[in-house]
Amino acid sequence: MAGQAKLKAARVLVVGAGGLGSPAALYLAAAGVGTLGIVDFDVVDESNLQRQILFSASDVGRPKVEAAVERLRGINPEIRIVPHAVRFDLDNALELVRSYDLVLDGSDNFPTRYLVNDACVLAGRPDVWGAIFRFEGQVSIFAAPNDPMAPCYRCLFPEPPPPGTVPSCAEAGVLGVLPGIVGSIQAAQAIQWIVGIGAPLVGRLLLFDALAMSFREVRLKKSPDCPRCSERPELTGLVRYDDACDLPADGDEVNLEPAEVARRLANGEPIELLDVRLAREREIAVLDDQQWIPIQELAQRWREVPADRTVVVYCHVGGRSAQAVDFLRGQGLTRVFNLVGGIRRWSREVDASVPQY
């Protein structure tokens, strides 16, 4: 009864109603967390249904927080669910975090992860962090308040990777059940923290390998040189980063919409398509391209790209291709363009016979 009373009095903020936030929110609601805040500005897409178990096919097109509130109230109508249909950013991060006792980070991009961590450090709130990639997941609790030896996220990763260097889950893929496992562990950690039982993952990074079906643990220490939580931090306020999985901001002059590329090809314009994806992605779907150079090999093979004709670079959703275009233009190839949205948008807007993935 004492533990259930603590859960009822608790206020938990779930950042992101996606793969991790879905199972976490479901279990937190079922456990009886008194106030559950959900932050997400996106709408439900059909591609989400493979792993984001908060939603069903009838929710496609609806704001995620709207569909989430309806589902969670159906599980536990006795708790208070607060929708925040906004992007978690510099303007609202501290205000949101300070309104809750604990933050569960279910975000899927580096800028938000760093922002959640930094806001938790400044507000004195624990950050129940999780991350997934293909077949692997990680969980830890960062910025544990009242523990001078507790590390924060920046103790492990001081700075985010440069934009375009890390493929997103949309590009690299993720095993559908993996976020369910990792998100459930995050929910378990949140419940343990609130109730005050067990050994929370403070100073410990839990690693899960879904292919080997194994767990292992790495001990973490507070970094004396951490730019955020050390005795003399370099960072005293919040920081805005570009998304490391997003497109470099090169301007519209280097981006071409799929419909525009299709129109030019239909008119007989000599355009060479360059695929920069991995070999396993090409086994799923390809366009009628004339060249394939995986982005990892582009620095060594860029001279193979013709400089005397128009080249349109594509990948899965447009992140890696934009990075490739940025690099190639830096080598003086001015007739290189990025296919916005990649092969995924092409299959939706131009040629439905191209398989989606």
PDB file of all heavy atoms in Angstrom, residues 295-322:
ATOM      1  N   ILE A 295      27.955   5.021 -48.675  1.00  0.00           N
ATOM      2  CA  ILE A 295      28.459   6.287 -48.153  1.00  0.00           C
ATOM      3  C   ILE A 295      29.758   6.104 -47.376  1.00  0.00           C
ATOM      4  O   ILE A 295      30.603   6.996 -47.334  1.00  0.00           O
ATOM      5  CB  ILE A 295      27.386   6.982 -47.283  1.00  0.00           C
ATOM      6  CG1 ILE A 295      27.799   8.435 -47.021  1.00  0.00           C
ATOM      7  CG2 ILE A 295      27.113   6.213 -45.989  1.00  0.00           C
ATOM      8  CD1 ILE A 295      26.703   9.299 -46.477  1.00  0.00           C
ATOM      9  N   GLN A 296      29.970   4.908 -46.803  1.00  0.00           N
ATOM     10  CA  GLN A 296      31.211   4.659 -46.082  1.00  0.00           C
ATOM     11  C   GLN A 296      32.420   4.644 -47.012  1.00  0.00           C
ATOM     12  O   GLN A 296      33.557   4.830 -46.565  1.00  0.00           O
ATOM     13  CB  GLN A 296      31.131   3.318 -45.333  1.00  0.00           C
ATOM     14  CG  GLN A 296      30.091   3.282 -44.235  1.00  0.00           C
ATOM     15  CD  GLN A 296      28.742   2.826 -44.754  1.00  0.00           C
ATOM     16  OE1 GLN A 296      28.463   2.906 -45.953  1.00  0.00           O
ATOM     17  NE2 GLN A 296      27.895   2.345 -43.857  1.00  0.00           N
ATOM     18  N   GLU A 297      32.182   4.413 -48.315  1.00  0.00           N
ATOM     19  CA  GLU A 297      33.283   4.357 -49.275  1.00  0.00           C
ATOM     20  C   GLU A 297      33.402   5.631 -50.100  1.00  0.00           C
ATOM     21  O   GLU A 297      34.303   5.732 -50.953  1.00  0.00           O
ATOM     22  CB  GLU A 297      33.074   3.162 -50.218  1.00  0.00           C
ATOM     23  CG  GLU A 297      32.982   1.820 -49.501  1.00  0.00           C
ATOM     24  CD  GLU A 297      32.677   0.682 -50.458  1.00  0.00           C
ATOM     25  OE1 GLU A 297      32.762   0.903 -51.688  1.00  0.00           O
ATOM     26  OE2 GLU A 297      32.344  -0.423 -49.996  1.00  0.00           O
ATOM     27  N   LEU A 298      32.535   6.599 -49.861  1.00  0.00           N
ATOM     28  CA  LEU A 298      32.477   7.772 -50.737  1.00  0.00           C
ATOM     29  C   LEU A 298      33.755   8.604 -50.682  1.00  0.00           C
ATOM     30  O   LEU A 298      34.200   9.140 -51.710  1.00  0.00           O
ATOM     31  CB  LEU A 298      31.268   8.635 -50.364  1.00  0.00           C
ATOM     32  CG  LEU A 298      30.872   9.715 -51.373  1.00  0.00           C
ATOM     33  CD1 LEU A 298      30.524   9.086 -52.716  1.00  0.00           C
ATOM     34  CD2 LEU A 298      29.687  10.522 -50.853  1.00  0.00           C
ATOM     35  N   ALA A 299      34.368   8.714 -49.513  1.00  0.00           N
ATOM     36  CA  ALA A 299      35.584   9.524 -49.394  1.00  0.00           C
ATOM     37  C   ALA A 299      36.717   8.970 -50.248  1.00  0.00           C
ATOM     38  O   ALA A 299      37.568   9.726 -50.723  1.00  0.00           O
ATOM     39  CB  ALA A 299      36.015   9.607 -47.928  1.00  0.00           C
ATOM     40  N   GLN A 300      36.728   7.640 -50.455  1.00  0.00           N
ATOM     41  CA  GLN A 300      37.771   7.028 -51.274  1.00  0.00           C
ATOM     42  C   GLN A 300      37.377   6.944 -52.747  1.00  0.00           C
ATOM     43  O   GLN A 300      38.249   6.919 -53.632  1.00  0.00           O
ATOM     44  CB  GLN A 300      38.082   5.607 -50.768  1.00  0.00           C
ATOM     45  CG  GLN A 300      38.760   5.537 -49.404  1.00  0.00           C
ATOM     46  CD  GLN A 300      37.806   5.815 -48.263  1.00  0.00           C
ATOM     47  OE1 GLN A 300      36.657   5.360 -48.307  1.00  0.00           O
ATOM     48  NE2 GLN A 300      38.251   6.547 -47.253  1.00  0.00           N
ATOM     49  N   ARG A 301      36.070   6.931 -53.045  1.00  0.00           N
ATOM     50  CA  ARG A 301      35.623   6.670 -54.419  1.00  0.00           C
ATOM     51  C   ARG A 301      34.904   7.855 -55.072  1.00  0.00           C
ATOM     52  O   ARG A 301      34.299   7.691 -56.128  1.00  0.00           O
ATOM     53  CB  ARG A 301      34.695   5.447 -54.413  1.00  0.00           C
ATOM     54  CG  ARG A 301      35.355   4.160 -53.940  1.00  0.00           C
ATOM     55  CD  ARG A 301      34.340   3.018 -53.877  1.00  0.00           C
ATOM     56  NE  ARG A 301      33.645   2.829 -55.153  1.00  0.00           N
ATOM     57  CZ  ARG A 301      32.594   2.022 -55.315  1.00  0.00           C
ATOM     58  NH1 ARG A 301      32.116   1.347 -54.276  1.00  0.00           N
ATOM     59  NH2 ARG A 301      32.019   1.912 -56.492  1.00  0.00           N
ATOM     60  N   TRP A 302      34.960   9.029 -54.480  1.00  0.00           N
ATOM     61  CA  TRP A 302      34.152  10.141 -54.994  1.00  0.00           C
ATOM     62  C   TRP A 302      34.517  10.542 -56.419  1.00  0.00           C
ATOM     63  O   TRP A 302      33.684  11.088 -57.149  1.00  0.00           O
ATOM     64  CB  TRP A 302      34.267  11.345 -54.063  1.00  0.00           C
ATOM     65  CG  TRP A 302      35.623  12.000 -54.014  1.00  0.00           C
ATOM     66  CD1 TRP A 302      36.629  11.732 -53.155  1.00  0.00           C
ATOM     67  CD2 TRP A 302      36.087  13.051 -54.861  1.00  0.00           C
ATOM     68  NE1 TRP A 302      37.715  12.536 -53.407  1.00  0.00           N
ATOM     69  CE2 TRP A 302      37.396  13.361 -54.453  1.00  0.00           C
ATOM     70  CE3 TRP A 302      35.531  13.761 -55.939  1.00  0.00           C
ATOM     71  CZ2 TRP A 302      38.163  14.340 -55.081  1.00  0.00           C
ATOM     72  CZ3 TRP A 302      36.284  14.739 -56.559  1.00  0.00           C
ATOM     73  CH2 TRP A 302      37.574  15.025 -56.130  1.00  0.00           C
ATOM     74  N   ARG A 303      35.741  10.247 -56.848  1.00  0.00           N
ATOM     75  CA  ARG A 303      36.154  10.595 -58.210  1.00  0.00           C
ATOM     76  C   ARG A 303      35.422   9.767 -59.257  1.00  0.00           C
ATOM     77  O   ARG A 303      35.467  10.087 -60.457  1.00  0.00           O
ATOM     78  CB  ARG A 303      37.663  10.442 -58.358  1.00  0.00           C
ATOM     79  CG  ARG A 303      38.460  11.484 -57.561  1.00  0.00           C
ATOM     80  CD  ARG A 303      39.966  11.254 -57.689  1.00  0.00           C
ATOM     81  NE  ARG A 303      40.708  12.254 -56.937  1.00  0.00           N
ATOM     82  CZ  ARG A 303      40.959  12.177 -55.631  1.00  0.00           C
ATOM     83  NH1 ARG A 303      40.496  11.127 -54.935  1.00  0.00           N
ATOM     84  NH2 ARG A 303      41.643  13.125 -55.015  1.00  0.00           N
ATOM     85  N   GLU A 304      34.739   8.692 -58.838  1.00  0.00           N
ATOM     86  CA  GLU A 304      33.948   7.901 -59.777  1.00  0.00           C
ATOM     87  C   GLU A 304      32.637   8.596 -60.147  1.00  0.00           C
ATOM     88  O   GLU A 304      31.975   8.203 -61.117  1.00  0.00           O
ATOM     89  CB  GLU A 304      33.632   6.530 -59.160  1.00  0.00           C
ATOM     90  CG  GLU A 304      34.860   5.683 -58.844  1.00  0.00           C
ATOM     91  CD  GLU A 304      34.500   4.396 -58.147  1.00  0.00           C
ATOM     92  OE1 GLU A 304      33.333   3.940 -58.281  1.00  0.00           O
ATOM     93  OE2 GLU A 304      35.355   3.830 -57.423  1.00  0.00           O
ATOM     94  N   VAL A 305      32.250   9.602 -59.373  1.00  0.00           N
ATOM     95  CA  VAL A 305      31.010  10.326 -59.648  1.00  0.00           C
ATOM     96  C   VAL A 305      31.246  11.292 -60.810  1.00  0.00           C
ATOM     97  O   VAL A 305      32.155  12.122 -60.759  1.00  0.00           O
ATOM     98  CB  VAL A 305      30.538  11.104 -58.402  1.00  0.00           C
ATOM     99  CG1 VAL A 305      29.246  11.860 -58.688  1.00  0.00           C
ATOM    100  CG2 VAL A 305      30.358  10.150 -57.227  1.00  0.00           C
ATOM    101  N   PRO A 306      30.467  11.218 -61.875  1.00  0.00           N
ATOM    102  CA  PRO A 306      30.695  12.079 -63.043  1.00  0.00           C
ATOM    103  C   PRO A 306      30.458  13.552 -62.726  1.00  0.00           C
ATOM    104  O   PRO A 306      29.500  13.903 -62.042  1.00  0.00           O
ATOM    105  CB  PRO A 306      29.684  11.563 -64.070  1.00  0.00           C
ATOM    106  CG  PRO A 306      28.630  10.878 -63.265  1.00  0.00           C
ATOM    107  CD  PRO A 306      29.324  10.298 -62.079  1.00  0.00           C
ATOM    108  N   ALA A 307      31.348  14.387 -63.230  1.00  0.00           N
ATOM    109  CA  ALA A 307      31.231  15.825 -62.996  1.00  0.00           C
ATOM    110  C   ALA A 307      30.583  16.551 -64.164  1.00  0.00           C
ATOM    111  O   ALA A 307      30.273  17.744 -64.059  1.00  0.00           O
ATOM    112  CB  ALA A 307      32.617  16.420 -62.728  1.00  0.00           C
ATOM    113  N   ASP A 308      30.352  15.835 -65.276  1.00  0.00           N
ATOM    114  CA  ASP A 308      29.857  16.490 -66.480  1.00  0.00           C
ATOM    115  C   ASP A 308      28.365  16.276 -66.709  1.00  0.00           C
ATOM    116  O   ASP A 308      27.855  16.556 -67.785  1.00  0.00           O
ATOM    117  CB  ASP A 308      30.635  15.981 -67.699  1.00  0.00           C
ATOM    118  CG  ASP A 308      30.534  14.460 -67.866  1.00  0.00           C
ATOM    119  OD1 ASP A 308      30.059  13.795 -66.917  1.00  0.00           O
ATOM    120  OD2 ASP A 308      30.932  13.953 -68.932  1.00  0.00           O
ATOM    121  N   ARG A 309      27.640  15.736 -65.721  1.00  0.00           N
ATOM    122  CA  ARG A 309      26.199  15.539 -65.873  1.00  0.00           C
ATOM    123  C   ARG A 309      25.515  15.656 -64.518  1.00  0.00           C
ATOM    124  O   ARG A 309      26.163  15.650 -63.472  1.00  0.00           O
ATOM    125  CB  ARG A 309      25.913  14.189 -66.523  1.00  0.00           C
ATOM    126  CG  ARG A 309      26.115  12.991 -65.617  1.00  0.00           C
ATOM    127  CD  ARG A 309      26.184  11.698 -66.373  1.00  0.00           C
ATOM    128  NE  ARG A 309      27.524  11.494 -66.921  1.00  0.00           N
ATOM    129  CZ  ARG A 309      27.984  10.302 -67.294  1.00  0.00           C
ATOM    130  NH1 ARG A 309      27.198   9.249 -67.241  1.00  0.00           N
ATOM    131  NH2 ARG A 309      29.198  10.173 -67.754  1.00  0.00           N
ATOM    132  N   THR A 310      24.198  15.752 -64.542  1.00  0.00           N
ATOM    133  CA  THR A 310      23.418  15.867 -63.316  1.00  0.00           C
ATOM    134  C   THR A 310      23.375  14.517 -62.590  1.00  0.00           C
ATOM    135  O   THR A 310      23.073  13.486 -63.198  1.00  0.00           O
ATOM    136  CB  THR A 310      21.987  16.324 -63.626  1.00  0.00           C
ATOM    137  OG1 THR A 310      22.042  17.613 -64.251  1.00  0.00           O
ATOM    138  CG2 THR A 310      21.163  16.410 -62.345  1.00  0.00           C
ATOM    139  N   VAL A 311      23.683  14.539 -61.306  1.00  0.00           N
ATOM    140  CA  VAL A 311      23.665  13.342 -60.473  1.00  0.00           C
ATOM    141  C   VAL A 311      22.692  13.578 -59.315  1.00  0.00           C
ATOM    142  O   VAL A 311      22.783  14.587 -58.616  1.00  0.00           O
ATOM    143  CB  VAL A 311      25.071  13.008 -59.923  1.00  0.00           C
ATOM    144  CG1 VAL A 311      25.006  11.804 -58.976  1.00  0.00           C
ATOM    145  CG2 VAL A 311      26.054  12.748 -61.060  1.00  0.00           C
ATOM    146  N   VAL A 312      21.750  12.661 -59.155  1.00  0.00           N
ATOM    147  CA  VAL A 312      20.809  12.725 -58.033  1.00  0.00           C
ATOM    148  C   VAL A 312      21.134  11.571 -57.077  1.00  0.00           C
ATOM    149  O   VAL A 312      21.082  10.401 -57.466  1.00  0.00           O
ATOM    150  CB  VAL A 312      19.346  12.630 -58.514  1.00  0.00           C
ATOM    151  CG1 VAL A 312      18.399  12.605 -57.307  1.00  0.00           C
ATOM    152  CG2 VAL A 312      19.010  13.808 -59.414  1.00  0.00           C
ATOM    153  N   VAL A 313      21.483  11.931 -55.847  1.00  0.00           N
ATOM    154  CA  VAL A 313      21.898  10.951 -54.849  1.00  0.00           C
ATOM    155  C   VAL A 313      20.688  10.559 -54.007  1.00  0.00           C
ATOM    156  O   VAL A 313      19.888  11.419 -53.611  1.00  0.00           O
ATOM    157  CB  VAL A 313      23.007  11.519 -53.944  1.00  0.00           C
ATOM    158  CG1 VAL A 313      23.554  10.434 -53.016  1.00  0.00           C
ATOM    159  CG2 VAL A 313      24.122  12.117 -54.792  1.00  0.00           C
ATOM    160  N   TYR A 314      20.557   9.271 -53.716  1.00  0.00           N
ATOM    161  CA  TYR A 314      19.438   8.838 -52.887  1.00  0.00           C
ATOM    162  C   TYR A 314      19.880   7.804 -51.861  1.00  0.00           C
ATOM    163  O   TYR A 314      20.882   7.105 -52.036  1.00  0.00           O
ATOM    164  CB  TYR A 314      18.278   8.312 -53.742  1.00  0.00           C
ATOM    165  CG  TYR A 314      18.448   6.920 -54.319  1.00  0.00           C
ATOM    166  CD1 TYR A 314      17.992   5.801 -53.623  1.00  0.00           C
ATOM    167  CD2 TYR A 314      19.029   6.734 -55.576  1.00  0.00           C
ATOM    168  CE1 TYR A 314      18.125   4.524 -54.166  1.00  0.00           C
ATOM    169  CE2 TYR A 314      19.151   5.469 -56.118  1.00  0.00           C
ATOM    170  CZ  TYR A 314      18.704   4.360 -55.402  1.00  0.00           C
ATOM    171  OH  TYR A 314      18.824   3.103 -55.934  1.00  0.00           O
ATOM    172  N   CYS A 315      19.110   7.729 -50.755  1.00  0.00           N
ATOM    173  CA  CYS A 315      19.278   6.687 -49.745  1.00  0.00           C
ATOM    174  C   CYS A 315      17.875   6.245 -49.332  1.00  0.00           C
ATOM    175  O   CYS A 315      16.963   6.262 -50.151  1.00  0.00           O
ATOM    176  CB  CYS A 315      20.125   7.175 -48.572  1.00  0.00           C
ATOM    177  SG  CYS A 315      19.386   8.531 -47.641  1.00  0.00           S
ATOM    178  N   HIS A 316      17.682   5.877 -48.071  1.00  0.00           N
ATOM    179  CA  HIS A 316      16.359   5.416 -47.650  1.00  0.00           C
ATOM    180  C   HIS A 316      15.402   6.577 -47.439  1.00  0.00           C
ATOM    181  O   HIS A 316      14.355   6.654 -48.082  1.00  0.00           O
ATOM    182  CB  HIS A 316      16.482   4.588 -46.363  1.00  0.00           C
ATOM    183  CG  HIS A 316      15.188   4.010 -45.903  1.00  0.00           C
ATOM    184  ND1 HIS A 316      14.968   3.615 -44.602  1.00  0.00           N
ATOM    185  CD2 HIS A 316      14.022   3.770 -46.554  1.00  0.00           C
ATOM    186  CE1 HIS A 316      13.733   3.151 -44.489  1.00  0.00           C
ATOM    187  NE2 HIS A 316      13.139   3.238 -45.655  1.00  0.00           N
ATOM    188  N   VAL A 317      15.751   7.518 -46.551  1.00  0.00           N
ATOM    189  CA  VAL A 317      14.844   8.632 -46.262  1.00  0.00           C
ATOM    190  C   VAL A 317      15.479  10.000 -46.490  1.00  0.00           C
ATOM    191  O   VAL A 317      14.862  11.019 -46.200  1.00  0.00           O
ATOM    192  CB  VAL A 317      14.303   8.549 -44.819  1.00  0.00           C
ATOM    193  CG1 VAL A 317      13.414   7.342 -44.643  1.00  0.00           C
ATOM    194  CG2 VAL A 317      15.439   8.536 -43.801  1.00  0.00           C
ATOM    195  N   GLY A 318      16.705  10.059 -46.976  1.00  0.00           N
ATOM    196  CA  GLY A 318      17.285  11.338 -47.379  1.00  0.00           C
ATOM    197  C   GLY A 318      18.386  11.884 -46.501  1.00  0.00           C
ATOM    198  O   GLY A 318      18.995  12.893 -46.854  1.00  0.00           O
ATOM    199  N   GLY A 319      18.689  11.251 -45.380  1.00  0.00           N
ATOM    200  CA  GLY A 319      19.718  11.779 -44.483  1.00  0.00           C
ATOM    201  C   GLY A 319      21.128  11.531 -44.992  1.00  0.00           C
ATOM    202  O   GLY A 319      21.944  12.451 -45.111  1.00  0.00           O
ATOM    203  N   ARG A 320      21.421  10.277 -45.307  1.00  0.00           N
ATOM    204  CA  ARG A 320      22.768   9.952 -45.787  1.00  0.00           C
ATOM    205  C   ARG A 320      23.044  10.561 -47.159  1.00  0.00           C
ATOM    206  O   ARG A 320      24.171  10.999 -47.449  1.00  0.00           O
ATOM    207  CB  ARG A 320      22.941   8.427 -45.841  1.00  0.00           C
ATOM    208  CG  ARG A 320      23.074   7.759 -44.481  1.00  0.00           C
ATOM    209  CD  ARG A 320      22.960   6.250 -44.581  1.00  0.00           C
ATOM    210  NE  ARG A 320      21.601   5.845 -44.934  1.00  0.00           N
ATOM    211  CZ  ARG A 320      21.253   4.575 -45.179  1.00  0.00           C
ATOM    212  NH1 ARG A 320      22.151   3.626 -45.142  1.00  0.00           N
ATOM    213  NH2 ARG A 320      19.995   4.275 -45.467  1.00  0.00           N
ATOM    214  N   SER A 321      22.030  10.621 -48.005  1.00  0.00           N
ATOM    215  CA  SER A 321      22.229  11.203 -49.333  1.00  0.00           C
ATOM    216  C   SER A 321      22.532  12.698 -49.235  1.00  0.00           C
ATOM    217  O   SER A 321      23.351  13.222 -49.992  1.00  0.00           O
ATOM    218  CB  SER A 321      21.014  10.956 -50.222  1.00  0.00           C
ATOM    219  OG  SER A 321      19.831  11.467 -49.632  1.00  0.00           O
ATOM    220  N   ALA A 322      21.892  13.388 -48.288  1.00  0.00           N
ATOM    221  CA  ALA A 322      22.173  14.812 -48.096  1.00  0.00           C
ATOM    222  C   ALA A 322      23.602  15.015 -47.624  1.00  0.00           C
ATOM    223  O   ALA A 322      24.290  15.952 -48.049  1.00  0.00           O
ATOM    224  CB  ALA A 322      21.189  15.407 -47.087  1.00  0.00           C
TER     225      ALA A 322
END
